[in-house]
Amino acid sequence: QVRVVESGGGSVQTEGSLRLSCTVTGFTRSNFCLGWFRQNPNTEREGVATIYTGDGNTYYGDFVEGRFTISQDNDRNTLFLQMDSLKPEDTAKYWCAADENLPAQYCIQGDHRTFEHWGRGTQVTVSS
């Protein structure tokens, strides 16, 4: 059974930093796709960042503008999202998602509709 569990959300002020973590268990393949997505009441769910564990290729949403970094640990079953220079518009619920059947070229398109497994999400609130 695949489990996806996020942690690390919270509240910060503008220009602050947060680091989200996500642990994925239950995959049988050695390479898979991991990603972070977000949504607030005024937007549709959007891709923040994704990474294909096999080659380390990544996707970032245009709004990231170099402020966030997606990474994985050596075991590749823990995913991180380092978020710096946070803005109030980054306020949203953030989800970790994983899929072990998504090919690399689709993994880095950042489309939430292609991910099978999801965590429960963690709230990020940035105040001005």
Side-chain angles (χ1 to χ4, degrees), residues 9-116:
S11 298
V12 294
Q13 293 188 326
T14 300
E15 292 298 316
S17 296
L18 282 173
R19 190 189 197 206
L20 305 183
S21 300
C22 171
T23 299
V24 180
T25 56
F27 277 168
T28 58
R29 295 186 178 183
S30 57
N31 298 317
F32 40 87
C33 183
L34 303 173
W36 291 99
F37 299 85
R38 73 182 190 182
Q39 185 174 14
N40 68 45
N42 300 318
T43 65
E44 296 183 354
R45 190 167 298 191
E46 59 185 351
V48 178
T50 64
I51 186 168
Y52 187 72
T53 64
D55 55 21
N57 283 338
T58 58
Y59 158 91
Y60 289 97
D62 291 341
F63 58 86
V64 170
E65 299 176 323
R67 300 177 297 128
F68 301 172
T69 303
I70 190 170
S71 62
Q72 56 189 3
D73 70 356
N74 289 335
D75 292 333
R76 297 186 294 181
N77 69 339
T78 301
L79 182 70
F80 304 101
L81 183 69
Q82 177 66 40
M83 302 187 293
D84 299 317
S85 301
L86 283 161
K87 306 174 183 180
E89 50 264 45
D90 294 316
T91 295
K93 189 169 185 179
Y94 285 69
W95 285 270
C96 177
D99 196 294
E100 64 175 340
N101 297 309
L102 195 59
Q105 64 265 38
Y106 296 112
C107 175
I108 58 172
Q109 290 182 359
D111 186 346
H112 66 90
R113 296 168 296 180
T114 58
F115 283 74
E116 181 176 4

